[in-house]
Amino acid sequence: MLPTPIKTVVLVLFSSIAMGFMPSSYAKDAWFEVEIYVFSRDSQPQQIQEAFSDNTKLPNTRGSIDLITPEVAREQLSLQHTLTPCDANDWVTRAQECQQQQQGQAPTMIYPAPMPVQITTKSAGNSPAGVTAQEANPNANKAYLLAASHGQFEQYIKQLSKEPGTTGLLHMSWRQNMQPRRQASPIHLFGGKDFAAQYSVMGAAIDHDPSATTATDTLDNMDGTQSATPRQNSDNTDGQPMAATQLTQPDFLSVGVSPQAQQPVWQLDGDLLIYLEHFLYIETDLVLRVEGKKLDLKDAIHSYSSQQASAEAMSANLTQTPTAATTSPYLYALAMKQNRRVRSNELHYFDHPRFGMLIQIRKLEPSQSN
């Protein structure tokens, strides 16, 4: 049996050896640099209808880290900011209107159209030599966007751009302190075209009825002037457009016109989660929106019933033409949901029949990541 001092030395020696073989995942600060490039591949809409489901579960990006919006979007104050704030008496006499006004105080984020493919920081001198990640970023454990000079995918992007039907959607680089899965926060990735004017979030086509009163029409007429393309009253026999009516403050709130802009429906949207559990892991929860055609279920049922009735009519020597089922525009959400163990500094490719993603996770030196 070894004496106590010798046992202590042996334990310390074995602990030191074990620490030397421990993976870097056990380091307190494991800073990595991440670069991604997402691109789409063109295909015929009818192929989408045949190959993909319209029941894709959309990613839940609430709570994700958004590195894109602060760099590309601008704030636009809503009309509610121009209204007189409610006082104590207003809250007593018209509490519901005041509540609606208060909810409309948040600014609307306006994104460029089209969205840029390459997203880079506007801050000068991002993480220069000799400056640690903590010093360069006030939120030490938060991910932060990098300048374009940090990118290393130029040759790969050039090669991919030569392939027919390939379109770049998003290219960006950032640094983050890798955490275990329970502590890691996903990065919100989005880009490409915004379909909000044509489709709802669930993919249904928006019916733009010119005869219907829209929020845009009301907002255009808030200054008491006529719209550039005024609607005509069907009861107006002389065919002259009716003058727009200026709404008062209570009327504006009572009609329920929301000053908030429509939420974007991005061509690319979802989360990218990277975490450290002995090894590096990448989880993708991305969707690509693709326009296509969808069979109308009600029309399909009606068509089936019509064909049955037609068959009965033919058997009775009667003539009847069956009604053909119709299709309507639909925005499909094609999912890329994968989980993969990866090695740092290697180039990895996540594939899907309609889009792909290149990603590289580069381990930072201690001088760069403190």
Side-chain angles (χ1 to χ4, degrees):
M1 188 173 181
L2 295 174
T4 301
I6 298 178
K7 288 168 55 179
T8 304
V9 171
V10 171
L11 289 175
V12 171
L13 179 61
F14 274 105
S15 299
S16 301
I17 295 174
M19 288 293 290
F21 284 99
M22 277 186 178
S24 59
S25 59
Y26 287 95
K28 182 180 179 180
D29 293 316
W31 282 87
F32 289 79
E33 190 169 287
V34 183
E35 184 174 4
I36 60 106
Y37 177 70
V38 186
F39 58 94
S40 65
R41 299 189 186 94
D42 293 337
S43 183
Q44 297 300 322
Q46 54 266 29
Q47 295 177 346
I48 302 301
Q49 182 179 351
E50 295 173 0
F52 299 102
S53 170
D54 57 359
N55 296 320
T56 301
K57 184 178 180 181
L58 300 178
N60 181 12
T61 58
R62 182 177 299 177
S64 305
I65 299 175
D66 183 0
L67 301 175
I68 301 175
T69 297
E71 299 297 331
V72 302
R74 60 179 177 86
E75 291 185 355
Q76 183 182 56
L77 299 181
S78 66
L79 270 177
Q80 300 285 19
H81 286 80
T82 65
L83 303 178
T84 305
C86 292
D87 55 22
N89 182 59
D90 293 330
W91 278 99
V92 174
T93 58
R94 51 188 187 92
Q96 184 176 2
E97 296 173 4
C98 291
Q99 180 70 21
Q100 293 176 357
Q101 180 177 344
Q102 187 180 54
Q103 291 175 351
Q105 291 290 335
T108 300
M109 303 308 298
I110 305 299
Y111 294 88
M115 278 280 286
V117 175
Q118 188 170 42
I119 307 296
T120 63
T121 181
K122 298 175 184 177
S123 303
N126 185 272
S127 293
V131 178
T132 66
Q134 286 80 356
E135 293 171 339
N137 182 31
N139 301 317
N141 291 322
K142 297 290 186 179
Y144 61 95
L145 196 63
L146 295 174
S149 58
H150 289 261
Q152 301 180 15
F153 281 2
E154 183 178 359
Q155 58 175 335
Y156 306 123
I157 295 175
K158 286 183 178 180
Q159 292 175 5
L160 288 170
S161 63
K162 296 178 182 179
E163 297 184 8
T166 300
T167 304
L169 297 175
L170 181 63
H171 179 209
M172 57 187 292
S173 303
W174 69 89
R175 286 180 180 177
Q176 67 179 99
N177 189 6
M178 298 302 176
Q179 303 290 333
R181 193 182 189 283
R182 291 187 177 183
Q183 302 175 16
S185 298
I187 304 295
H188 185 195
L189 304 182
F190 61 91
K193 182 180 178 181
D194 180 9
F195 291 100
Q198 296 85 30
Y199 299 93
S200 68
V201 175
M202 301 309 297
I206 296 177
D207 184 15
H208 296 281
D209 186 359
S211 63
T213 302
T214 63
T216 304
D217 297 329
T218 307
L219 295 180
D220 289 341
N221 295 330
M222 283 296 291
D223 59 354
T225 60
Q226 295 182 2
S227 173
T229 56
R231 296 184 304 274
Q232 296 182 358
N233 189 347
S234 58
D235 298 331
N236 191 3
T237 57
D238 59 2
Q240 296 297 322
M242 295 186 64
T245 304
Q246 183 173 2
L247 301 179
T248 61
Q249 177 176 328
D251 293 334
F252 167 74
L253 291 173
S254 63
V255 297
V257 178
S258 174
Q260 298 295 321
Q262 220 166 6
Q263 291 298 317
V265 180
W266 295 114
Q267 183 179 2
L268 170 71
D269 199 1
D271 281 338
L272 176 67
L273 179 64
I274 307 174
Y275 60 93
L276 208 50
E277 297 281 1
H278 299 287
F279 297 95
L280 281 169
Y281 289 86
I282 298 176
E283 284 188 13
T284 63
D285 188 6
L286 303 173
V287 294
L288 180 73
R289 299 288 195 146
V290 178
E291 293 182 282
K293 296 289 186 180
K294 181 181 178 182
L295 183 66
D296 192 310
L297 182 59
K298 292 182 180 180
D299 285 347
I301 296 174
H302 178 72
S303 175
Y304 176 77
S305 301
S306 178
Q307 290 175 6
Q308 291 291 103
S310 176
E312 295 174 359
M314 291 177 64
S315 62
N317 295 324
L318 300 176
T319 59
Q320 183 175 355
T321 304
T323 304
T326 61
T327 59
S328 58
Y330 187 78
L331 190 66
Y332 285 88
L334 314 181
M336 178 193 286
K337 201 173 180 68
Q338 302 181 22
N339 186 316
R340 186 184 303 179
R341 191 181 79 179
V342 300
R343 293 180 180 273
S344 60
N345 301 319
E346 292 183 354
L347 182 65
H348 299 278
Y349 176 56
F350 287 74
D351 191 23
H352 184 278
R354 285 306 308 270
F355 66 115
M357 180 180 72
L358 292 178
I359 181 170
Q360 188 177 46
I361 306 173
R362 301 184 280 266
K363 184 72 171 70
L364 297 180
E365 297 299 327
S367 60
Q368 295 174 287
S369 59
N370 197 21

